[in-house]
Amino acid sequence: MRILMILNNHYSNDPRVTAEAESLIKHGYEVKVIAWDRKGEYPLHEVINSVEVLRVQIPKIIGKLLHFEILKVPVWQVLAYKKALELYKHWKFKIVHVHDWPDLPVGVMLKQRIRNIFLVYDSHEVWNYMIFTNRLPEWVWEVIWRERAMLKHIDALVTVGRGYKNYFLRYFGKVKIIQNAKSKVPSWKKPNTNPLTVVYIGGFDEDRCIKELVDTICEINLPVLLLVAGPKHKKYLRLFESSAECGVKYVGYVSKSDVIPMTVNSSVVYFVFKDSNPLYKIGMPNKLFEAISAGRASLAGRETASGNFVEEYRIGLVVDCNVGEIKRALTVLIENPKLIVKFGRRAYLISNKYNWSREFKKLVELYKEWGVTSHEKCRYDDRKDN
């Protein structure tokens, strides 16, 4: 079965999409990805772990005229659609698997143009929550996104967690959850607890409580090291540089292959998000599943989906986004190293339930629902073409 994925980033460092595509290849599927190279930094054609990636770049002159990224999205959609039609002439894909809202119109246009293909909408985010933080009336963002109007064209909707599923069930009758779980490390390694090593790998914004963590590290006066990895953001680079003497070490952007090893070498994984942000309220971040797969304790945000998970399975501590609470939690961990070990061992045990192998089976089951039918239709299409 041939599957075309549409993706609005350059593919290489997207952990969910690369896991899906590479796992499908290993199970005998043919997969190609049309990806958006936003900055023109990657090859237009590349094969990565047997996945063929065809990248689209917006012409530089158009990119300069359109200063805001959101204005470039319609251009990307048109270019991706044309690329897909060109590909279909010699590679008759039967499933179009789109990732997130910017890719959905591309899939819908293909579904309307090409008969007998199946369209999967794999929504990693709720875009209204991510962009507008739910501050505008629904009809306003529906006019902009047109997401609900396009859902009638899809054959399946996949998302990453229970909160996302509940959101989409208002507009689509059946939603399948495929979580961002990771492959567990082969064997559990006891964490080093002296000094306490806190790791954060991800993006930076005010709702992720990074400044509060750094301020805590500089105030605590106890043996603790903070390792931070993520994009170069000027505001946060200045923060990390000014806090280096406190034990804050910024290691830059790390590849997805380095994430789990870096997590294994930590004592606790940090993902404290503000529950006032609706996206973080329902989101289950990659960092949670990285902590589980590596068997490491978690420090999460109270009243968030990930914080509730940490409390339910007793694999870490939860705090509000302020220096006082983060300081108390880190002090508890530093003074009780056995607790870090207990949280980590328990996290590794539940990786038997929350791992990529189990989640991937759900995707295969979804595709198998169309397996025989798609081959029959392929033969019918071949006769029509002849």
Side-chain angles (χ1 to χ4, degrees):
M1 191 181 297
R2 291 175 173 176
I3 301 163
L4 174 65
M5 290 189 171
I6 309 291
L7 177 66
N8 66 94
N9 64 48
H10 59 78
Y11 175 80
S12 304
N13 289 312
D14 190 312
R16 179 180 179 86
V17 182
T18 53
E20 288 179 341
E22 292 174 12
S23 298
L24 286 166
I25 289 283
K26 289 177 183 177
H27 284 75
Y29 293 86
E30 294 181 57
V31 182
K32 296 183 190 291
V33 182
I34 293 178
W36 181 7
D37 181 8
R38 294 172 182 251
K39 296 182 179 180
E41 297 175 340
Y42 295 86
L44 292 177
H45 180 267
E46 189 175 14
V47 178
I48 304 174
N49 295 330
S50 300
V51 179
E52 187 174 356
V53 183
L54 309 169
R55 294 192 177 92
V56 170
Q57 296 175 353
I58 293 177
K60 291 183 179 180
I61 188 169
I62 295 178
K64 289 180 179 179
L65 291 173
L66 302 174
H67 296 287
F68 299 104
E69 200 74 8
I70 194 68
L71 298 178
K72 300 175 186 177
V73 171
V75 182
W76 142 251
Q77 292 167 343
V78 172
L79 293 176
Y81 171 67
K82 290 182 176 179
K83 190 76 172 179
L85 287 182
E86 179 184 331
L87 177 65
Y88 187 75
K89 291 177 183 178
H90 62 272
W91 195 73
K92 298 291 194 291
F93 49 83
K94 298 307 298 182
I95 291 179
V96 177
H97 187 134
V98 301
H99 296 272
D100 277 329
W101 171 81
D103 313 321
L104 181 56
V106 182
V108 170
M109 288 188 289
L110 290 170
K111 182 77 182 283
Q112 292 173 326
R113 177 70 179 268
I114 305 171
R115 291 183 304 164
N116 301 319
I117 64 170
F118 296 89
L119 177 57
V120 179
Y121 181 29
D122 191 342
S123 182
H124 311 179
E125 308 285 359
V126 175
W127 276 69
N128 170 42
Y129 292 172
M130 187 167 69
I131 305 297
F132 296 139
T133 61
N134 207 29
R135 294 193 181 108
L136 297 178
E138 286 195 11
W139 68 267
V140 174
W141 50 261
E142 175 56 19
V143 167
I144 297 173
W145 300 142
R146 297 178 293 114
E147 182 179 53
R148 292 195 311 234
M150 288 185 284
L151 291 182
K152 64 183 179 182
H153 298 286
I154 70 174
D155 296 290
L157 199 158
V158 174
T159 193
V160 296
R162 193 180 307 160
Y164 294 84
K165 177 178 179 177
N166 292 336
Y167 171 88
F168 283 111
L169 279 174
R170 296 184 294 167
Y171 314 118
F172 194 79
K174 186 178 179 181
V175 180
K176 183 179 285 288
I177 296 175
I178 299 177
Q179 299 182 100
N180 287 324
K182 312 299 177 186
S183 298
K184 60 187 294 188
V185 298
S187 60
W188 183 70
K189 175 184 175 183
K190 185 178 178 180
N192 179 22
T193 58
N194 188 22
L196 180 77
T197 304
V198 182
V199 66
Y200 173 82
I201 305 171
F204 307 121
D205 61 54
E206 291 183 3
D207 289 337
R208 295 179 185 233
C209 308
I210 304 301
K211 185 178 186 305
E212 289 80 359
L213 174 61
V214 171
D215 289 346
T216 302
I217 299 297
C218 288
E219 185 179 306
I220 199 168
N221 292 323
L222 288 171
V224 57
L225 173 67
L226 171 61
L227 297 178
V228 181
K232 292 183 179 180
H233 188 296
K234 290 183 180 180
K235 174 183 174 181
Y236 287 92
L237 283 177
R238 289 195 296 269
L239 174 66
F240 301 144
E241 289 172 0
S242 64
S243 307
E245 293 183 0
C246 305
V248 177
K249 184 178 180 181
Y250 171 68
V251 298
Y253 189 86
V254 297
S255 67
K256 65 184 182 70
S257 61
D258 293 327
V259 170
I260 295 301
M262 186 172 171
T263 305
V264 168
N265 290 327
S266 71
S267 314
V268 59
V269 179
Y270 182 86
F271 46 96
V272 175
F273 302 142
K274 292 181 180 177
D275 66 340
S276 57
N277 186 307
L279 187 65
Y280 297 145
K281 181 81 172 177
I282 66 173
M284 300 287 275
N286 280 300
K287 285 162 281 297
L288 167 63
F289 294 107
E290 290 157 7
I292 291 171
S293 69
R296 290 297 176 260
S298 295
L299 185 57
R302 185 175 282 116
E303 299 300 327
T304 62
S306 52
N308 293 339
F309 185 99
V310 167
E311 284 190 303
E312 178 183 353
Y313 286 96
R314 294 178 297 154
I315 57 174
L317 301 176
V318 297
V319 296
D320 288 325
C321 181
N322 63 67
V323 171
E325 289 230 350
I326 298 171
K327 183 178 181 180
R328 280 191 290 273
L330 293 181
T331 302
V332 167
L333 294 174
I334 292 168
E335 294 178 350
N336 298 274
K338 290 183 179 179
L339 190 60
I340 301 171
V341 176
K342 184 184 293 186
F343 286 150
R345 185 181 290 115
R346 194 175 288 146
Y348 189 69
L349 288 174
I350 69 168
S351 67
N352 292 323
K353 179 179 180 181
Y354 295 96
N355 61 70
W356 178 243
S357 179
R358 285 174 63 100
E359 296 303 308
F360 175 69
K361 286 178 182 178
K362 300 176 187 177
L363 184 60
V364 171
E365 289 168 4
L366 182 66
Y367 285 156
K368 282 183 176 179
E369 292 178 13
W370 306 322
V372 175
T373 305
S374 68
H375 288 304
E376 290 174 350
K377 287 183 177 178
C378 184
R379 290 195 292 272
Y380 173 76
D381 289 345
D382 288 342
R383 291 197 301 272
K384 291 287 286 183
D385 291 339
N386 292 331

